[in-house]
């Protein structure tokens, strides 16, 4: 079933004198080259003919088009795929509840960041930033229409899930339906809720109150019985209160309904005429003038305070709210009616995550315990594994959450912290958990006198405060803490351990696709490479010199690093496959990414397809490339896999005339990753590791249970509905089963296919 609502925008370009248009790649990348970023090897072009776009798929008739799907609408389509999981009754019931909460959280962030950015562009009348995009005002209109469709789908999914929960003995009931609990609930209101409530009236002496972002509030119409005058008031539902109040085992009532039923205690002597729930979303994006900041950490903290007072970009109201009350809210928070969204049923489904934690294993997925990679299995119960010995036996590729993060990446840092032969530990931290064992190990290592260097990215959106706190704790322990490069976010996932071994020093590295976060390592799929190859050790050492010092190194031995050379590298690799195809040689490109947006990369892939390259794209989220366009992208297949885990790993594969090359890393193909972030891509050269990646990619490309395909009509369709046969391959179940089977096979003898003595020689 295709996603309703029609295809996203097709970006338009004017034709040149000869009819077809040249691709966007050259223009976009050459414009960047003057600012220090790399050029796009100007030969990359894509030819799009005026009859290329399938009839009926483009929202506007044009003479010729550069097929480029609007990134905001593509993002909404990903959120719609998440919402589908909430409605799919093949998923365990509490997993469906979880997907409802995740969808709601995703939409909150979409409005806080993406919509707020478009609002600012519309106000400034800024030119569109992507090829052929509509003006910001037109994009906002399309987004608003699509969101209203999705709200209806969300409401329907919630009612189906709510009914299924009731059948399973878990109910969310209305306050009015439980008169037998009213007395107990009033006492609970007096004891636990009333003390933290603050009623705020709106009248000439009380201006409209500030409404904090994402907080639930009650809008109240009150009548003064003495003069009959009606007034308006607001009561915030404090976020510290549980959203669902359990009145019987597995029977809940919403806290806002309990508050609404006891407003007489807050407005003594007044008559409560009606109450309605509402919620405001504010702009949470901000731009930091790093060049002008004397202290980056203090500047970030100041911006975090400002974020609380960003402009409102969305007002959610319950569907029964009368127009007069809605108008008061719109004027009070500063939005127009176009930014007011009616919500039926429960408002703010993020509160449903409380139900996902219920002890009902019959309504959840069967628990899965990540396996310990055979080469990292402890020799006995009382002796931990020697990670360094395992790495010396050969490169080790770990795949989370199928393989244990704690027994591999986390163990790598823990062992380094206590090993007396380890001299230095260096690491980049982008996002980590609130109680991070990795940071605790780094603190322990610093206290033991080891040199500990940590680049803490305090500009990681929504994790700024947590990262600031960790940075201060690390500094207090004696670690060297740096905050990265001015104008760039450090998004690479790299760590370096220097260890004395006999008379020499050896460097051990971890280069991955995911954050050093034990929490998300159980929910996100990521890959990490552990290695002691001298050239990788030298590269990671050089990268840290760039990050912590004044090095301007642009080329590395084996690493590909943004913004230095990643853009040139990916375009040259695509071009190489294009040339192989033109010469009749084997040519194929496989990319597994979170997002594909960069216009130059899209154009290069179109050129590859036109030359005959088979292009397989596994893009979880945003994809601006439009596959299946005749004579443009017929050789490109785009799949998205959504399900139990969040697909987060990035994989790059090139057939290379029968000598396949595989790479993993932290970067997506977005302008921000290629030009405004520090990213690291590493080649996977170990044959066993290559086979492991190839196997998991083959599973994902064969998936017919969790996958969607982006069609030539610009819409996503379920693979199982396209094939018309029952699904047989579920990526998550298959990879879990394979991981369990792998530990049942006796581990092979240690091997050292590329072992070396280790060196700190920068020429290594």
């Amino acid at each position: 079933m295709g996603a309703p609502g029609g295809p996203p925008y097709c970006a338009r370009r004017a034709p040149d004198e000869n009819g077809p248009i040249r691709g966007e790649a050259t223009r976009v990348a050459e414009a960047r080259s003057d600012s220090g970023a790399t050029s796009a090897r100007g030969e990359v072009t894509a030819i799009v003919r005026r009859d290329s776009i399938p009839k009926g798929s483009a929202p506007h008739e044009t003479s010729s088009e550069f097929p480029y799907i609007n990134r905001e609408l593509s993002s909404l389509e990903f959120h719609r795929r998440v919402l589908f999981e909430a409605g799919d009754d093949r998923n365990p019931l509490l997993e469906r509840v979880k997907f409802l909460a995740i969808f709601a959280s995703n939409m909150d962030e979409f409005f806080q960041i993406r919509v707020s950015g478009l609002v600012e562009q519309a106000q400034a009348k800024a030119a569109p930033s992507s090829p052929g995009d509509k003006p910001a005002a037109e994009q906002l209109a399309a987004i608003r229409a699509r969101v209203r469709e999705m709200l209806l789908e969300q409401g329907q999914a919630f009612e189906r899930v709510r009914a299924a929960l009731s059948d399973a003995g878990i109910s969310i009931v209305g306050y009015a339906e439980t008169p037998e609990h009213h007395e107990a609930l009033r006492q609970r209101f007096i004891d636990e809720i009333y003390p933290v409530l603050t009623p705020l009236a709106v009248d000439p002496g009380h201006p409209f109150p500030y409404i904090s972002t994402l907080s639930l509030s009650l809008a109240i119409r009150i009548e003064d019985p003495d003069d009959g005058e009606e007034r308006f008031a607001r009561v915030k539902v404090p976020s510290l209160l549980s959203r669902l109040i359990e009145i019987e085992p597995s029977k809940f009532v919403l806290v806002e309904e309990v508050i609404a039923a006891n407003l007489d205690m807050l407005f003594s002597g007044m008559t409560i005429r009606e109450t309605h729930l509402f919620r405001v979303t504010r702009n949470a994006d901000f731009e930091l003038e790093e060049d002008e900041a004397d202290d980056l950490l203090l500047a970030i903290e100041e911006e975090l305070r400002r974020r609380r007072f960003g402009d409102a970009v969305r007002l959610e109201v319950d569907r029964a709210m009368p127009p007069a009350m809605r108008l008061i809210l719109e004027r009070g928070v500063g939005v127009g009616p176009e930014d007011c969204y009616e919500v039926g049923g429960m408002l703010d489904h993020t509160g449903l995550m409380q139900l996902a934690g219920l002890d009902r294993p019959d309504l959840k997925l069967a628990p899965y315990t990540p396996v310990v990679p055979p080469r990292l299995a402890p020799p006995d119960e009382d002796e931990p594994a020697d990670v360094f010995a395992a790495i010396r036996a050969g490169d080790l590729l770990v795949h989370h959450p199928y393989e244990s993060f704690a027994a591999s990446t986390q163990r790598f840092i823990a062992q380094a912290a206590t090993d007396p032969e380890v001299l230095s530990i260096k690491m980049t931290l982008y996002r980590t958990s609130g109680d991070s064992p990795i940071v605790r190990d780094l603190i322990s290592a610093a206290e033991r006198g080891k040199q500990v260097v940590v680049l803490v990215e305090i500009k990681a959106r929504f994790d700024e405060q947590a990262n600031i706190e960790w940075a201060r704790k690390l500094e207090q322990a004696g670690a060297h803490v740096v905050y990265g490069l001015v104008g760039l976010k450090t998004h690479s996932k790299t760590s370096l351990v220097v260890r004395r071994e006999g008379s020499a020093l050896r460097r051990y590295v971890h280069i991955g696709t995911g954050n050093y976060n034990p929490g998300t390592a159980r929910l996100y799929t990521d890959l990490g490479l552990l290695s002691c190859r001298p050239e990788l050790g030298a590269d990671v050492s050089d990268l840290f010199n760039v990050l912590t010092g004044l090095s301007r190194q642009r080329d590395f031995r084996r690493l590909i690093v943004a913004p230095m050379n990643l853009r040139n590298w990916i375009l040259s690799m695509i071009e190489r496959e294009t040339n192989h195809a033109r010469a009749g040689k084997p040519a194929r490109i496989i990319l597994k990414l979170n997002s594909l947006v960069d216009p130059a990369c899209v154009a290069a892939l179109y050129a590859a397809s036109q030359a005959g390259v088979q292009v397989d794209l596994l893009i979880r989220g945003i994809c601006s490339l439009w596959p299946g366009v005749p004579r443009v992208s017929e050789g490109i297949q785009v799949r998205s896999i959504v399900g139990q885990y969040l697909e987060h790993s990035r994989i790059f594969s090139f057939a290379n005339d029968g000598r396949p090359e595989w790479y993993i890393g932290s970067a997506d193909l977005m302008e921000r990753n290629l030009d405004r972030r520090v990213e690291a891509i590493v080649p996977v050269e170990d044959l066993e590791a290559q086979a492991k990646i190839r196997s998991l990619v083959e599973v994902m490309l064969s998936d017919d249970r969790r996958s969607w395909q982006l069609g030539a009509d610009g819409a996503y369709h379920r693979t199982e509905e396209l094939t018309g046969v029952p699904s047989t391959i579920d990526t998550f179940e298959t990879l879990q089963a394979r991981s369990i089977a792998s530990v049942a096979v006796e581990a092979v003898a240690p091997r050292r296919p590329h072992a070396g003595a280790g060196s700190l020689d920068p020429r290594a």
Side-chain angles (χ1 to χ4, degrees):
M1 179 176 64
Y9 276 129
C10 171
R12 298 184 293 172
R13 290 196 60 84
D16 67 15
E17 295 178 358
N18 299 317
I21 63 169
R22 292 178 61 82
E24 192 69 16
T26 305
R27 298 176 186 77
V28 173
E30 286 180 347
R32 292 194 192 93
S33 63
D34 294 335
S35 61
T38 57
S39 74
R41 303 178 68 88
E43 296 302 317
V44 179
T45 61
I47 304 303
V48 185
R49 302 188 184 281
R50 62 186 58 179
D51 58 348
S52 294
I53 307 300
K55 290 183 178 179
S57 61
H60 300 282
E61 291 297 326
T62 69
S63 58
S64 62
E65 315 236 358
F66 178 79
Y68 186 88
I69 297 173
N70 179 272
R71 66 162 291 171
E72 316 305 349
L73 296 182
S74 183
S75 179
L76 283 178
E77 290 308 304
F78 166 67
H79 301 325
R80 183 173 247 148
R81 296 195 290 278
V82 172
L83 182 58
F84 174 89
E85 296 296 319
D88 190 342
D89 58 13
R90 293 172 294 182
N91 291 326
L93 185 54
L94 290 183
E95 289 299 306
R96 295 170 63 190
V97 170
K98 191 182 300 183
F99 279 115
L100 278 173
I102 292 170
F103 171 78
S105 178
N106 287 352
M107 293 300 292
D108 287 346
E109 184 169 337
F110 179 77
F111 273 90
Q112 286 178 289
I113 304 302
R114 301 308 310 173
V115 171
S116 64
L118 284 174
V119 169
E120 290 178 346
Q121 291 178 38
Q123 292 171 346
K125 294 182 170 53
S129 57
S130 295
D133 263 351
K134 301 295 182 185
E138 292 186 38
Q139 293 185 59
L140 284 169
I143 288 169
R144 290 162 180 147
R146 190 70 55 88
V147 168
R148 286 187 165 83
E149 293 174 4
M150 294 169 69
L151 284 176
L152 294 175
E153 297 168 17
Q154 179 189 19
Q156 293 165 359
F158 171 71
E159 291 305 326
R160 292 196 300 271
V161 167
R162 185 175 184 173
L165 284 170
S166 181
D167 292 342
I170 302 171
S171 54
I172 302 174
V173 298
Y175 179 87
E177 301 171 36
T178 60
E180 68 277 16
H181 293 285
H182 286 183
E183 184 177 349
L185 284 171
R186 187 169 182 87
Q187 189 60 49
R188 189 166 179 177
F189 174 84
I190 293 170
D191 295 340
E192 302 175 19
I193 301 174
Y194 177 80
V196 295
L197 297 181
T198 302
L200 295 172
V202 177
D203 57 34
H206 301 85
F208 196 91
Y210 169 77
I211 310 294
S212 54
T213 188
L214 301 183
S215 61
L216 285 168
S217 296
L218 286 169
I220 308 158
R221 184 166 64 88
I222 303 168
E223 182 180 308
D224 187 333
D226 291 340
D227 57 15
E229 184 177 349
E230 289 191 348
R231 298 190 175 132
F232 176 85
R234 173 254 185 169
V235 173
K236 178 179 178 179
V237 180
S239 58
L240 54 85
L241 299 176
S242 294
R243 181 75 189 281
L244 298 167
I245 296 177
E246 192 167 23
I247 54 177
E248 293 178 15
S250 298
K251 189 173 186 177
F252 302 88
V253 65
L254 292 167
V255 66
E256 61 264 25
E257 294 191 13
V258 175
I259 295 173
N262 292 279
L263 287 174
D264 60 296
M265 294 189 64
L266 290 171
F267 300 97
S268 178
M270 306 294 281
T271 302
I272 309 299
R273 289 302 182 192
E274 60 181 337
T275 63
H276 297 279
L277 201 64
F278 72 96
R279 187 169 180 255
V280 174
T281 306
R282 295 186 178 276
N283 182 348
D285 200 12
F286 60 81
E287 292 186 7
L288 186 68
E289 298 297 335
E290 296 179 57
D291 292 333
E292 301 175 9
D294 295 325
D295 186 316
L296 182 60
L297 188 141
L298 293 177
I300 290 285
E301 289 183 312
E302 177 60 29
E303 288 299 333
L304 290 177
R305 286 189 285 271
R306 292 179 189 172
R307 177 184 283 173
R308 296 176 51 237
F309 300 98
D311 292 338
V313 294
R314 177 179 61 166
L315 172 64
E316 298 170 276
V317 301
D318 79 51
R319 190 164 292 157
M321 181 179 288
M325 183 177 284
R326 186 179 309 176
L327 183 60
I328 292 173
L329 290 176
E330 290 172 357
R331 290 175 175 173
V333 302
V335 300
E338 68 277 4
D339 291 316
C340 183
Y341 296 87
E342 294 182 356
V343 178
M346 178 180 174
L347 198 156
D348 182 18
H349 288 173
T350 61
L352 291 172
M353 196 60 82
Q354 184 179 337
L355 293 181
L358 292 175
D359 185 19
R360 288 292 302 270
D362 57 313
L363 302 179
K364 299 181 180 181
L365 290 165
Y368 173 77
T369 302
V371 304
V372 177
R375 285 169 54 193
L376 294 177
D380 56 57
E381 292 183 0
D382 299 324
E383 184 179 352
D386 185 342
V387 179
F388 298 131
I391 297 172
R392 288 195 299 273
D395 289 357
L396 179 60
L397 185 77
V398 289
H399 190 199
H400 314 305
Y402 306 104
E403 294 176 308
S404 171
F405 180 84
S408 55
T409 308
Q410 187 175 317
R411 172 65 188 153
F412 173 58
I413 300 301
Q415 182 175 340
T418 59
D419 188 334
E421 300 303 320
V422 168
L423 307 178
S424 172
I425 305 172
K426 299 183 181 183
M427 172 178 277
T428 59
L429 281 179
Y430 190 74
R431 302 185 195 275
T432 190
S433 55
D435 185 24
S436 172
I438 285 181
V439 179
R440 289 202 306 270
D441 287 332
L442 292 173
I443 291 172
S444 173
E447 292 172 343
R448 291 168 185 263
K450 302 182 189 299
Q451 184 193 56
V452 176
V453 179
V454 186
L455 188 144
V456 180
E457 183 47 80
I458 58 174
K459 292 171 286 184
R461 186 180 289 131
F462 298 124
D463 281 290
E464 299 97 341
Q465 190 60 52
N467 286 1
I468 287 172
E469 292 172 5
W470 280 125
R472 287 181 168 146
K473 290 179 180 179
L474 285 161
E475 286 177 329
Q476 291 167 2
H480 301 289
V481 178
V482 294
Y483 305 124
L485 303 175
V486 172
L488 299 172
K489 280 187 180 181
T490 301
H491 190 247
S492 62
K493 326 297 182 184
T494 49
S495 55
L496 169 70
V497 172
V498 179
R499 188 172 188 268
R500 182 189 297 110
E501 296 181 0
S503 60
L505 296 176
R506 192 190 301 272
R507 288 180 281 210
Y508 295 84
V509 301
H510 173 272
I511 305 165
T513 69
N515 298 306
Y516 293 108
N517 186 325
T520 57
R522 294 190 293 269
L523 304 171
Y524 294 9
T525 69
D526 275 303
L527 292 162
L529 182 71
L530 292 157
S531 177
C532 62
R533 296 178 187 240
E535 64 274 22
L536 287 182
D539 273 352
V540 176
S541 291
D542 289 347
L543 178 57
F544 276 103
N545 289 340
V546 171
L547 296 174
T548 64
L550 296 174
S551 171
R552 294 183 179 178
Q553 181 171 333
R554 300 187 63 82
D555 295 313
F556 297 81
R557 300 158 189 82
R558 305 298 295 150
L559 282 187
I560 303 101
V561 179
M564 294 78 166
N565 57 13
L566 177 52
R567 175 178 289 282
N568 261 353
W569 173 80
I570 187 65
L571 291 172
S572 67
M573 296 296 278
I574 296 172
E575 185 178 6
R576 187 184 68 181
E577 293 301 307
T578 303
N579 291 335
H580 284 327
R582 288 173 179 154
K585 299 176 181 179
R588 187 184 187 190
I589 297 170
I590 302 173
L591 301 177
K592 180 183 180 295
L593 306 165
N594 294 340
S595 300
L596 170 57
V597 174
D598 183 71
C601 293
V602 170
L605 290 168
Y606 286 158
S609 174
Q610 292 166 34
V613 180
Q614 179 184 346
V615 181
D616 290 297
L617 303 176
L618 290 160
I619 312 295
R620 183 201 77 213
I622 305 169
C623 182
S624 291
L625 181 146
W626 194 320
V629 178
R631 297 183 296 283
V632 177
S633 55
E634 290 173 298
I636 303 178
Q637 181 184 72
V638 178
R639 288 175 178 252
S640 173
I641 292 180
V642 179
Q644 180 177 355
Y645 301 130
L646 181 81
E647 287 297 335
H648 193 255
S649 58
R650 288 89 164 183
I651 299 171
F652 307 79
S653 174
F654 307 93
N656 190 30
D657 189 20
R659 301 179 301 280
E661 295 181 2
W662 295 86
Y663 301 80
I664 64 169
S666 59
D668 291 308
L669 296 187
M670 305 178 73
E671 291 167 281
R672 71 182 188 189
N673 299 95
L674 299 175
D675 303 327
R676 300 191 298 276
R677 288 187 174 185
V678 177
E679 308 277 6
I681 306 292
V682 63
V684 178
E685 298 174 313
D686 181 272
L687 296 180
E688 183 180 304
Q690 285 187 355
K692 187 173 184 176
I693 298 182
R694 184 184 305 110
S695 176
L696 75 92
V697 166
E698 288 172 351
V699 169
M700 299 184 77
L701 290 174
S702 302
D703 185 298
D704 56 4
R705 166 66 181 89
R706 299 290 183 177
S707 69
W708 300 71
Q709 295 186 37
L710 179 56
D713 59 354
Y716 281 88
H717 306 266
R718 298 280 299 174
T719 297
E720 60 189 349
E721 296 191 358
L722 291 174
T723 61
V725 298
S727 59
T728 58
I729 299 176
D730 180 314
T731 290
F732 308 108
E733 291 180 358
T734 301
L735 294 179
Q736 285 178 351
R738 288 189 180 183
S739 296
I740 293 171
S742 71
V743 300
V745 178
E746 185 176 355
V748 297
R751 56 193 177 81
R752 300 187 61 176
H754 301 285
S759 171
L760 287 183
D761 185 343
R763 296 167 297 178

